[in-house]
Each structure stands twice: as C-alpha cells, then as structure tokens.
Amino acid sequence: PSVAQDLMDSQLPQTVHAQSRGDDIHFIESRLEEYRDRLSGLAAELDVLRRFHRQTLHDLPLGVCTLASDLEILSWNRAMMEITQCSDDQVIGARLDALPQPWRELLLNFFRSPDSQHLRTQVTTDGQPRWFNLHRAMIGDANGNHVLVMEDVSALQQLESRLHHAERLAAIGRLAAGVAHEIGNPVTGIACLAQNLKAEQPGNADVQLAARDILEQTQRVSRIVQSLVGF
C-alpha cells in the first residue's frame, strides 16, 4: 500500500490522502485512464487488478450503485443503466435526489429506511408494473460509502402470478368435476325412474306427459353440468 501511495502521489496531479473517504473516486479513475500507458511494474499490476474488479462490477447482472456519505453517486453499472434507462455519464457525480422519477423516490425511500433490504417492491414505469429486490450495504465506518443493489424480479413475479392463476383454474376444475359427479348421480336416478314410469303405464296420457317432461328437465340439468365442466 505504501508503494502504491507513492505512485499515486507522483503520478496524479492532486494530493491523495490516506484517510480519503473516496469522494473523488470517479475523478481518480478518470486520471488513471489518462495515465494507463505510463504505468509499469507494480503500478501496472495494480491497474490490471483495478480494471478487472471494475469490469466485474460493471458487468454484473444486478444493478449496483455506490453512494458517498453525502449521497453523491460514485458508480452506476450497466445493469443499473438498463433498469433505469439513465446512463452513467448522466448520474455519476450527481446526487441521488437528482435522479428522475420513479427511481429517485424508490432509492431515497430505501436509503432512508432502517431495513437493509426490501423485497418485491413494486414500481410503475411506462404504465407497466415492475418489481425489484433492493439491498443495501455500507463500506467502512458510519461515514463511509453505501452500496445499493437492485434486482429486477418482474419476470419471476409475473411467472408466479400466472402460476397462481393456473392453480385457481385447477381448483375451479376440481370443483366443477365434484359438482358434476354429485349432481349427475341423482339426475341419472331420476331419469331412470321416469323411464320406468313411462314404460309401466303406456296407456296413461298424463303419466306419459309427466315422464316426458321429467326426462327433458333431467337432460337440461345434464347439459348445464356439462357446460360447467367444460368451463
């Protein structure tokens, strides 16, 4: 670390304090990019390691945002840009309360919350609901930097909603099958009795008419039950 500190002091055109809170991380990164071709030896190895960690953070599938103690945005990775449609050039160096809605309200409320995570938080963007898992961690002491992580779980939420809907339809199907069974048995018995009555008294016009009406009504009930099962 001491050698790295000497290299930083000699190469960068500003004083780097050992106890720096990291408020000028973005500026230091930009200066390192300008001096990348001049670095050699240990400095070059440190630069490669820095680039590796920076690229890993940038390419994570989760949205990651780093904040200074005064809520200045220090980093804003690719997933965060895809989620919010805000480029890193627009937000890095700005404060969290300068973000457009609904992200300003979402992240500020989460940052001020005593909870370190919020699960399935719903946000409406472009008229469509979206759901996010939010996580927060602190780097260093109470005055250190904060890391906010956003995970888009909208696809999972929609899949679970479709699954719940399918389960409700399956429950309705089981109910319809049970109703059809419980109603179908006595209706079949009534139809059999009406047919027997019709066959036993062929000469009685009133009995024949009543038996025919009973059979027609039992068929109507059967059609209704079949429609219920079909639905």
Side-chain angles (χ1 to χ4, degrees), residues 42-78:
L42 179 60
E45 294 179 6
L46 290 174
D47 187 60
V48 170
L49 184 61
R50 175 187 66 85
R51 290 175 181 277
F52 172 77
H53 287 293
R54 182 182 181 185
Q55 194 64 38
T56 300
L57 182 64
H58 187 70
D59 293 338
L60 278 177
L62 302 176
V64 180
C65 167
T66 306
L67 304 175
S69 57
D70 61 351
L71 299 187
E72 178 187 352
I73 299 175
L74 303 177
S75 68
W76 193 263
N77 75 342
R78 179 177 299 165

Short mmCIF file of all heavy atoms in Angstrom, two decimals, residues 42-78:
data_model
loop_
_atom_site.label_atom_id
_atom_site.label_comp_id
_atom_site.label_asym_id
_atom_site.label_seq_id
_atom_site.Cartn_x
_atom_site.Cartn_y
_atom_site.Cartn_z
N LEU A 42 4.73 -2.69 -10.67
CA LEU A 42 3.67 -2.86 -9.67
C LEU A 42 2.46 -1.99 -9.99
O LEU A 42 1.31 -2.40 -9.82
CB LEU A 42 4.21 -2.52 -8.28
CG LEU A 42 3.20 -2.62 -7.13
CD1 LEU A 42 2.64 -4.03 -7.03
CD2 LEU A 42 3.85 -2.20 -5.82
N ALA A 43 2.74 -0.78 -10.49
CA ALA A 43 1.63 0.11 -10.84
C ALA A 43 0.78 -0.50 -11.94
O ALA A 43 -0.46 -0.42 -11.90
CB ALA A 43 2.17 1.47 -11.28
N ALA A 44 1.43 -1.13 -12.92
CA ALA A 44 0.67 -1.75 -14.00
C ALA A 44 -0.15 -2.93 -13.48
O ALA A 44 -1.29 -3.13 -13.90
CB ALA A 44 1.63 -2.22 -15.09
N GLU A 45 0.43 -3.72 -12.56
CA GLU A 45 -0.31 -4.85 -12.00
C GLU A 45 -1.52 -4.36 -11.19
O GLU A 45 -2.60 -4.95 -11.26
CB GLU A 45 0.62 -5.68 -11.11
CG GLU A 45 1.73 -6.38 -11.88
CD GLU A 45 2.65 -7.16 -10.97
OE1 GLU A 45 2.34 -7.24 -9.76
OE2 GLU A 45 3.66 -7.69 -11.45
N LEU A 46 -1.31 -3.30 -10.43
CA LEU A 46 -2.43 -2.73 -9.68
C LEU A 46 -3.50 -2.20 -10.62
O LEU A 46 -4.70 -2.32 -10.35
CB LEU A 46 -1.93 -1.61 -8.77
CG LEU A 46 -1.07 -2.02 -7.58
CD1 LEU A 46 -0.53 -0.80 -6.86
CD2 LEU A 46 -1.88 -2.88 -6.61
N ASP A 47 -3.07 -1.63 -11.72
CA ASP A 47 -4.03 -1.10 -12.68
C ASP A 47 -4.83 -2.23 -13.33
O ASP A 47 -6.04 -2.10 -13.54
CB ASP A 47 -3.30 -0.30 -13.75
CG ASP A 47 -4.25 0.42 -14.68
OD1 ASP A 47 -5.05 1.25 -14.19
OD2 ASP A 47 -4.23 0.14 -15.89
N VAL A 48 -4.16 -3.35 -13.63
CA VAL A 48 -4.87 -4.51 -14.20
C VAL A 48 -5.89 -5.04 -13.20
O VAL A 48 -7.03 -5.37 -13.56
CB VAL A 48 -3.86 -5.61 -14.60
CG1 VAL A 48 -4.59 -6.91 -14.95
CG2 VAL A 48 -3.01 -5.16 -15.77
N LEU A 49 -5.48 -5.13 -11.93
CA LEU A 49 -6.41 -5.61 -10.90
C LEU A 49 -7.58 -4.66 -10.74
O LEU A 49 -8.74 -5.09 -10.61
CB LEU A 49 -5.67 -5.75 -9.58
CG LEU A 49 -6.46 -6.33 -8.41
CD1 LEU A 49 -6.94 -7.73 -8.73
CD2 LEU A 49 -5.62 -6.32 -7.14
N ARG A 50 -7.28 -3.35 -10.78
CA ARG A 50 -8.36 -2.36 -10.68
C ARG A 50 -9.35 -2.50 -11.83
O ARG A 50 -10.56 -2.46 -11.63
CB ARG A 50 -7.74 -0.96 -10.68
CG ARG A 50 -8.76 0.19 -10.70
CD ARG A 50 -8.05 1.51 -10.87
NE ARG A 50 -7.40 1.62 -12.16
CZ ARG A 50 -8.03 2.04 -13.27
NH1 ARG A 50 -9.30 2.36 -13.23
NH2 ARG A 50 -7.36 2.14 -14.41
N ARG A 51 -8.81 -2.69 -13.03
CA ARG A 51 -9.67 -2.83 -14.20
C ARG A 51 -10.52 -4.09 -14.12
O ARG A 51 -11.70 -4.10 -14.51
CB ARG A 51 -8.83 -2.84 -15.48
CG ARG A 51 -8.20 -1.53 -15.82
CD ARG A 51 -7.28 -1.63 -17.04
NE ARG A 51 -6.66 -0.36 -17.32
CZ ARG A 51 -7.25 0.61 -18.01
NH1 ARG A 51 -8.47 0.42 -18.49
NH2 ARG A 51 -6.64 1.74 -18.23
N PHE A 52 -9.91 -5.16 -13.62
CA PHE A 52 -10.65 -6.42 -13.51
C PHE A 52 -11.85 -6.26 -12.57
O PHE A 52 -12.97 -6.65 -12.90
CB PHE A 52 -9.72 -7.52 -13.00
CG PHE A 52 -10.42 -8.81 -12.68
CD1 PHE A 52 -10.83 -9.67 -13.68
CD2 PHE A 52 -10.69 -9.16 -11.36
CE1 PHE A 52 -11.49 -10.86 -13.39
CE2 PHE A 52 -11.34 -10.34 -11.06
CZ PHE A 52 -11.74 -11.19 -12.08
N HIS A 53 -11.60 -5.69 -11.39
CA HIS A 53 -12.70 -5.51 -10.43
C HIS A 53 -13.73 -4.52 -10.96
O HIS A 53 -14.95 -4.70 -10.77
CB HIS A 53 -12.14 -5.04 -9.09
CG HIS A 53 -11.43 -6.10 -8.32
ND1 HIS A 53 -12.07 -7.20 -7.80
CD2 HIS A 53 -10.12 -6.26 -8.00
CE1 HIS A 53 -11.20 -7.98 -7.18
NE2 HIS A 53 -10.00 -7.43 -7.29
N ARG A 54 -13.25 -3.49 -11.62
CA ARG A 54 -14.18 -2.51 -12.17
C ARG A 54 -15.06 -3.13 -13.25
O ARG A 54 -16.27 -2.89 -13.29
CB ARG A 54 -13.38 -1.34 -12.75
CG ARG A 54 -14.25 -0.23 -13.31
CD ARG A 54 -13.39 0.87 -13.91
NE ARG A 54 -14.20 1.95 -14.44
CZ ARG A 54 -13.70 2.99 -15.09
NH1 ARG A 54 -12.39 3.08 -15.28
NH2 ARG A 54 -14.49 3.93 -15.57
N GLN A 55 -14.44 -3.94 -14.14
CA GLN A 55 -15.22 -4.57 -15.20
C GLN A 55 -16.19 -5.59 -14.64
O GLN A 55 -17.32 -5.74 -15.13
CB GLN A 55 -14.27 -5.24 -16.21
CG GLN A 55 -14.94 -5.64 -17.52
CD GLN A 55 -15.45 -4.42 -18.29
OE1 GLN A 55 -14.80 -3.39 -18.31
NE2 GLN A 55 -16.61 -4.56 -18.91
N THR A 56 -15.76 -6.35 -13.61
CA THR A 56 -16.65 -7.32 -12.97
C THR A 56 -17.87 -6.63 -12.39
O THR A 56 -19.01 -7.08 -12.57
CB THR A 56 -15.90 -8.07 -11.87
OG1 THR A 56 -14.78 -8.77 -12.44
CG2 THR A 56 -16.82 -9.09 -11.18
N LEU A 57 -17.64 -5.53 -11.68
CA LEU A 57 -18.75 -4.77 -11.11
C LEU A 57 -19.65 -4.21 -12.19
O LEU A 57 -20.88 -4.21 -12.08
CB LEU A 57 -18.20 -3.65 -10.23
CG LEU A 57 -19.23 -2.78 -9.51
CD1 LEU A 57 -20.02 -3.60 -8.50
CD2 LEU A 57 -18.54 -1.61 -8.82
N HIS A 58 -19.04 -3.75 -13.27
CA HIS A 58 -19.81 -3.12 -14.34
C HIS A 58 -20.70 -4.13 -15.07
O HIS A 58 -21.81 -3.80 -15.50
CB HIS A 58 -18.86 -2.45 -15.34
CG HIS A 58 -19.56 -1.63 -16.38
ND1 HIS A 58 -20.20 -0.45 -16.09
CD2 HIS A 58 -19.73 -1.84 -17.72
CE1 HIS A 58 -20.73 0.04 -17.19
NE2 HIS A 58 -20.46 -0.77 -18.19
N ASP A 59 -20.22 -5.38 -15.20
CA ASP A 59 -20.94 -6.38 -15.99
C ASP A 59 -21.83 -7.27 -15.15
O ASP A 59 -22.42 -8.22 -15.69
CB ASP A 59 -19.93 -7.25 -16.76
CG ASP A 59 -19.21 -6.46 -17.84
OD1 ASP A 59 -19.75 -5.43 -18.25
OD2 ASP A 59 -18.11 -6.88 -18.25
N LEU A 60 -21.95 -7.03 -13.86
CA LEU A 60 -22.84 -7.85 -13.03
C LEU A 60 -24.28 -7.77 -13.56
O LEU A 60 -24.72 -6.71 -14.00
CB LEU A 60 -22.80 -7.37 -11.59
CG LEU A 60 -21.66 -7.83 -10.69
CD1 LEU A 60 -21.78 -7.18 -9.32
CD2 LEU A 60 -21.66 -9.34 -10.55
N PRO A 61 -25.02 -8.89 -13.50
CA PRO A 61 -26.42 -8.84 -13.94
C PRO A 61 -27.33 -8.12 -12.95
O PRO A 61 -28.52 -7.95 -13.22
CB PRO A 61 -26.78 -10.33 -14.06
CG PRO A 61 -25.87 -11.02 -13.11
CD PRO A 61 -24.58 -10.25 -13.13
N LEU A 62 -26.81 -7.72 -11.81
CA LEU A 62 -27.57 -6.97 -10.81
C LEU A 62 -27.20 -5.50 -10.91
O LEU A 62 -26.03 -5.15 -11.14
CB LEU A 62 -27.28 -7.48 -9.40
CG LEU A 62 -27.56 -8.95 -9.13
CD1 LEU A 62 -27.14 -9.31 -7.72
CD2 LEU A 62 -29.03 -9.27 -9.33
N GLY A 63 -28.18 -4.64 -10.70
CA GLY A 63 -27.90 -3.21 -10.70
C GLY A 63 -27.17 -2.81 -9.43
O GLY A 63 -27.62 -3.10 -8.32
N VAL A 64 -26.01 -2.16 -9.58
CA VAL A 64 -25.19 -1.76 -8.43
C VAL A 64 -24.91 -0.26 -8.52
O VAL A 64 -24.50 0.25 -9.57
CB VAL A 64 -23.86 -2.53 -8.39
CG1 VAL A 64 -23.03 -2.09 -7.19
CG2 VAL A 64 -24.10 -4.03 -8.33
N CYS A 65 -25.13 0.42 -7.40
CA CYS A 65 -24.90 1.86 -7.30
C CYS A 65 -24.13 2.13 -6.01
O CYS A 65 -24.52 1.64 -4.95
CB CYS A 65 -26.24 2.59 -7.31
SG CYS A 65 -26.15 4.33 -6.83
N THR A 66 -23.04 2.89 -6.12
CA THR A 66 -22.25 3.26 -4.95
C THR A 66 -22.48 4.73 -4.64
O THR A 66 -22.42 5.57 -5.54
CB THR A 66 -20.76 3.00 -5.21
OG1 THR A 66 -20.57 1.65 -5.63
CG2 THR A 66 -19.96 3.22 -3.94
N LEU A 67 -22.71 5.02 -3.36
CA LEU A 67 -23.01 6.38 -2.92
C LEU A 67 -22.00 6.83 -1.89
O LEU A 67 -21.60 6.05 -1.01
CB LEU A 67 -24.41 6.46 -2.31
CG LEU A 67 -25.59 6.00 -3.16
CD1 LEU A 67 -26.87 6.03 -2.34
CD2 LEU A 67 -25.73 6.86 -4.41
N ALA A 68 -21.60 8.10 -1.98
CA ALA A 68 -20.79 8.71 -0.93
C ALA A 68 -21.68 9.05 0.25
O ALA A 68 -22.91 8.92 0.20
CB ALA A 68 -20.07 9.94 -1.46
N SER A 69 -21.06 9.51 1.34
CA SER A 69 -21.84 9.82 2.54
C SER A 69 -22.84 10.95 2.31
O SER A 69 -23.85 11.04 3.00
CB SER A 69 -20.90 10.18 3.69
OG SER A 69 -20.07 11.27 3.32
N ASP A 70 -22.55 11.84 1.33
CA ASP A 70 -23.47 12.94 1.04
C ASP A 70 -24.44 12.59 -0.09
O ASP A 70 -25.04 13.48 -0.69
CB ASP A 70 -22.69 14.20 0.68
CG ASP A 70 -21.82 13.99 -0.56
OD1 ASP A 70 -21.70 12.84 -1.02
OD2 ASP A 70 -21.26 14.99 -1.07
N LEU A 71 -24.57 11.28 -0.42
CA LEU A 71 -25.48 10.75 -1.43
C LEU A 71 -25.04 11.09 -2.85
O LEU A 71 -25.84 11.01 -3.78
CB LEU A 71 -26.92 11.24 -1.21
CG LEU A 71 -27.57 10.85 0.11
CD1 LEU A 71 -29.04 11.24 0.12
CD2 LEU A 71 -27.43 9.36 0.38
N GLU A 72 -23.77 11.43 -3.03
CA GLU A 72 -23.25 11.59 -4.38
C GLU A 72 -23.06 10.21 -5.01
O GLU A 72 -22.55 9.29 -4.37
CB GLU A 72 -21.91 12.33 -4.37
CG GLU A 72 -21.30 12.48 -5.77
CD GLU A 72 -19.89 13.05 -5.72
OE1 GLU A 72 -19.46 13.46 -4.63
OE2 GLU A 72 -19.23 13.06 -6.78
N ILE A 73 -23.49 10.06 -6.25
CA ILE A 73 -23.38 8.78 -6.95
C ILE A 73 -21.95 8.63 -7.47
O ILE A 73 -21.48 9.43 -8.27
CB ILE A 73 -24.39 8.70 -8.10
CG1 ILE A 73 -25.82 8.82 -7.56
CG2 ILE A 73 -24.23 7.40 -8.88
CD1 ILE A 73 -26.89 8.88 -8.62
N LEU A 74 -21.27 7.57 -7.00
CA LEU A 74 -19.89 7.33 -7.37
C LEU A 74 -19.75 6.30 -8.47
O LEU A 74 -18.78 6.34 -9.24
CB LEU A 74 -19.08 6.88 -6.15
CG LEU A 74 -19.09 7.83 -4.95
CD1 LEU A 74 -18.31 7.23 -3.80
CD2 LEU A 74 -18.51 9.19 -5.34
N SER A 75 -20.68 5.35 -8.54
CA SER A 75 -20.62 4.33 -9.60
C SER A 75 -22.04 3.93 -9.97
O SER A 75 -22.97 4.01 -9.16
CB SER A 75 -19.82 3.10 -9.15
OG SER A 75 -20.50 2.39 -8.12
N TRP A 76 -22.18 3.46 -11.20
CA TRP A 76 -23.50 3.16 -11.76
C TRP A 76 -23.26 2.14 -12.87
O TRP A 76 -22.82 2.48 -13.96
CB TRP A 76 -24.11 4.45 -12.32
CG TRP A 76 -25.55 4.43 -12.67
CD1 TRP A 76 -26.10 4.23 -13.90
CD2 TRP A 76 -26.66 4.68 -11.79
NE1 TRP A 76 -27.47 4.32 -13.86
CE2 TRP A 76 -27.85 4.60 -12.56
CE3 TRP A 76 -26.76 4.94 -10.43
CZ2 TRP A 76 -29.09 4.79 -12.01
CZ3 TRP A 76 -28.01 5.12 -9.88
CH2 TRP A 76 -29.16 5.05 -10.66
N ASN A 77 -23.52 0.85 -12.59
CA ASN A 77 -23.09 -0.18 -13.54
C ASN A 77 -24.09 -0.38 -14.68
O ASN A 77 -25.13 0.28 -14.75
CB ASN A 77 -22.80 -1.50 -12.81
CG ASN A 77 -24.07 -2.22 -12.38
OD1 ASN A 77 -25.13 -1.63 -12.31
ND2 ASN A 77 -23.95 -3.50 -12.10
N ARG A 78 -23.75 -1.31 -15.58
CA ARG A 78 -24.54 -1.49 -16.81
C ARG A 78 -25.97 -1.93 -16.51
O ARG A 78 -26.91 -1.43 -17.12
CB ARG A 78 -23.85 -2.52 -17.69
CG ARG A 78 -24.59 -2.80 -19.01
CD ARG A 78 -23.80 -3.78 -19.84
NE ARG A 78 -22.48 -3.24 -20.17
CZ ARG A 78 -21.48 -3.97 -20.63
NH1 ARG A 78 -21.62 -5.28 -20.75
NH2 ARG A 78 -20.33 -3.39 -20.93
#
